[in-house]
Amino acid sequence: MSPKSPKTPNQIPRRSVLAIAAAAPLLAATLPRTVHAQVADFPFRDPTLGLEARVADLLGRLTLDEKVALLHQYQAPVPRLGVAAFKTGTEALHGVAWSTDKAAGGAVVTATATVFPQAIGLASTWDPALVEQVGTAVGTEARGFHAENPGVWGLQLWAPVVNLLRDPRWGRNEEGYSEDPYLTGAISTAYGRGIQGEDPDHLRAAPVLKHYLANNNEVRRDTTSSVLRPRVKREYYESAFRPALAADAATGVMSAYNLVNGRPMTAHFDHNDVVRTWTTRTLFNVTDAGGPNNLTAGQAYYATQPEADAAVLRAGLDSFTVDDTNSAKTIEAVHAALAQGLLAESDVDTAVRHILSIRVRLGEFDPGGGPYGHLGKEVVDSPEHRALARKTAGRAIVLLKNDGLLPLPRGRTVAVIGQLADTLYTDWYSGALPYRITPFDGITEAAGAAVSTTEGVDRIALRTTGGYVTATAAATPLTVSASTGDDTRFDVYDWGEGIVTLRALSNGNFLSFGPDRTLVNNAPQPNGWFVQQQFKLVAHGGGHVLEYAGNETDDSWFGDQKYVVAAGDGRLTITAKSPAEATVFTREVVRSGIESAVAAASEADIAVVVAGSMPFISGREDDDRQSLDLAPAQQAVLEAVRQANPDTVLVLENSYPTTIGWAQQNVRSVVWTTHAGAETGHALADVLYGDVNPAGRLTQTWYRSAADLPDLLDYDIIKAGRTYQYFGGDPLYPFGFGLSYTSFDYRNLRLSAPSMSGQGEIGVNVVVTNTGTRAGDEVVQLYTHQRTSRDPQPNLRLRAFARVHLAPGEAKTVTLSLRAADLAHWDVTRDRWVVETATHDVLVGASSADIRVRGTLRVRGEAIPQRDLHRTTEAENFDDYAGITLTDRTKERGTSVTSAGGGWIAFRDADLHARQLSALVSAPAPTTITVRTGRPDGPVLGTLTVPGTGDRYAYVSVSAPLTGAQGRGDLYLVFGGPASLGTFSLTR
């Protein structure tokens, strides 16, 4: 959640995502007896009073200084009232993950807790009831950690992430649920509801949705602007956030780093104008780490921090996550904003009221901490939670291909092969694993026969004129020495895009960037904000040079010294600026990974290749992917194993769609799992051996090639043809896809009514039968398609789903609800939702591309009238466009259409009877906007002369006469040069 911290190159920084506040211990227990008696009588401590009364009482007792001190993520205590310090933001994406300890200078503290499948794995279950159980476990464990150390483990949880997975190259794909807003809403609501608990007045813990809004790229993430025209913003990006808040299953949102239509989300009025309208509950919104400072730094949106912090509060954000543990800077800036008249005390009161509302609901001021105050550390990693983790990991697995090899018969020998065969990796938002059941472990327990394993990686030695690269103790820098033993052996792991990691045979640790730019081998797994275990072996000079490729090498402060040199004393340092200056090593293969993999596969009845990603390397926060391919060395091992043993299963273990076209064509069976926590091996074996019949379903489109995707920064899913809703190509695996060990038949689709009004609701009934010989779950998916519309409509869109368990031969009638309101889309001609009168295809099936039964539904809505451009029209409400972007008209509200010249916007089906066009415009220098009809190069109706206004926020009203403007047609506004258009209107 935070930008890379500008630390010195030899320092691995704290997770600057960061600064998740550490609170002081609860004060009430340490107060003098007389003070304790007094504060116990305050009305805000009376649980029989209503929430608003309790908040108002406490707010009224606070001084201005005390209120301002509550605005930073490290909220100061108020000893005179017995109010403890409070921290925001324990990470809990798929289990309690980590926090920071203020008492230790903000050092990261990682939880050893139940680790559930990554978020995309949770969604792959398509099972909200199960996900709610997971949320319950996570909220319960959060309480357990809080009971042990409330100064570290706060109860505002920064989860779930509901950013839509519109592009699988996004580095944070593992953190989200789906490319579909309906599925994302259902899963996030379930997870949040579980975290919160069922008490309407109290919270087990307080989930916060991340990251509002349209935050799907890591490249320049704090300076790029996501361009969202109104339809895309309303129908797609906002629709993922609304469900959990509307269902009271979340207590606030975190602002995103990016800008939207030119305005930073850290100071975007959507937090008040939009987000708070979705619920009647009080929300406690927070900034992402460092976001307030970005406003004056990289974004340069405000000149001073008082201006920036005032904008943050006025926009509807209540808490500043910034400056790590140092709240003084925020306190100073807010006081300065008050003194300068940028804020009123009432603005501070509003934010503090929001904060206190959640603190009261958390039971902080109740006797005994409220209904959840009894939970202690004993709840963490309980047997029940371990069982739930195994169940969830099994339900999340997706069977992508099976020609009969699965389920595996017991009693046959198995070779478990691959870089992930006998290891489990955690990720950036993961807790530490309390134990590990690897794929090899799980298969060994289940096979009933001999099981062997090999990672299938090359073991190498690196030789130069002075000897071999040698690794001894973990903290000791690597050297070139005369040794030829195991301390000169390194296993090479290929993670794609040229990145490798090297593990020393001598102690099992990975090679890392160390102090004074030395090389050390001290990491049990690749980790840290900069992931300083990343290297490239670059062919050069008849051998190879070793290039350091940690994430910080992209930062200007790191410099250009990226290559390894063997110094005169034998020490290896990263001090060369080019391959020509680096030491050239001979890469000697001591053991071939492919040969060891082939040998193992040849000697076994069945080969299981476990391939995939390392979550800290293959794309994650602050690091997008360039490729969706399996890493070349892993692909080579898979192909060699398949050649050696036709009975090969590919287990793909990663957190994003992968272009595995070769495997789909050549490998008998393919299953996908995300990184699923300590129980990964058990869950995998449960599926491979048929103890669990797989029913996970994909939550994203899996493309055949990254070439099927538009530019990563293109957020217009309609025009760019993104996601299953608008993609016109042939995917490798479609949205909603997943196979089973049994088969299902769909029959007798019946609608409870053949038509409904624009305010109506119907039931969609279908009979689903298990026609196979195994019990199993089917995920019944309901989609619709609107046949006719004024506006482009999706190919189809998910409206409901149900995961249904059926015994062999069993039939069930599945009923799914469909509301007319769900069929609405955003009408740009009138700035509101509309349900059109139209016929809708009702499509029920096993995936978005496997529709089994169809029906039709007539909706009696309304017709979108002819566009009336004689009213003031927001330029952003166009129907089509080219060569334009959307920008902020003022720093607070309003959006303009901006073009560098040559761009155009179109307004369809308009009444063109007019003698004049008037517009609100801005331009750096004089230019024109040409008014045309029919097409961008159609007949000219008039030309608007735009004067140079200088400042980009300086707008003027201008007019131009129109000639020949009549009838009904399409109006085009074509930019002659750089200009911004805010609004316009026609005059008869």
Side-chain angles (χ1 to χ4, degrees), residues 729-849:
D730 178 29
L732 180 63
Y733 305 114
F735 173 82
F737 176 78
L739 302 175
S740 171
Y741 295 152
T742 189
S743 56
F744 300 94
D745 177 69
Y746 290 66
R747 293 185 183 276
N748 300 330
L749 177 70
R750 182 175 58 83
L751 308 184
S752 61
S755 66
M756 65 175 168
S757 72
Q759 296 78 42
E761 181 175 355
I762 65 163
V764 179
N765 303 285
V766 62
V767 177
V768 181
T769 304
N770 183 343
T771 55
T773 60
R774 289 177 175 267
D777 290 1
E778 175 68 334
V779 179
V780 181
Q781 302 167 40
L782 168 62
Y783 299 86
T784 65
H785 169 69
Q786 185 172 329
R787 292 183 182 177
T788 58
S789 174
R790 178 197 181 278
D791 302 313
Q793 292 297 315
N795 305 320
L796 71 171
R797 184 163 176 177
L798 182 69
R799 302 299 186 183
F801 63 90
R803 181 163 174 155
V804 182
H805 183 76
L806 295 168
E810 182 182 7
K812 286 184 180 178
T813 298
V814 178
T815 300
L816 302 170
S817 295
L818 180 62
R819 301 184 310 148
D822 297 332
L823 305 177
H825 73 277
W826 190 254
D827 175 15
V828 294
T829 73
R830 295 172 294 173
D831 260 337
R832 66 174 177 85
W833 293 100
V834 61
V835 177
E836 289 183 285
T837 295
T839 297
H840 293 256
D841 295 312
V842 178
L843 313 165
V844 180
S847 80
S848 60

Side-chain angles (χ1 to χ4, degrees), residues 851-870:
I851 302 302
R852 305 291 184 87
V853 288
R854 300 169 177 263
T856 57
L857 173 68
R858 180 71 178 170
V859 176
R860 302 183 304 278
E862 60 178 307
I864 298 176
Q866 182 182 22
R867 212 190 237 280
D868 182 5
L869 299 180
H870 298 84

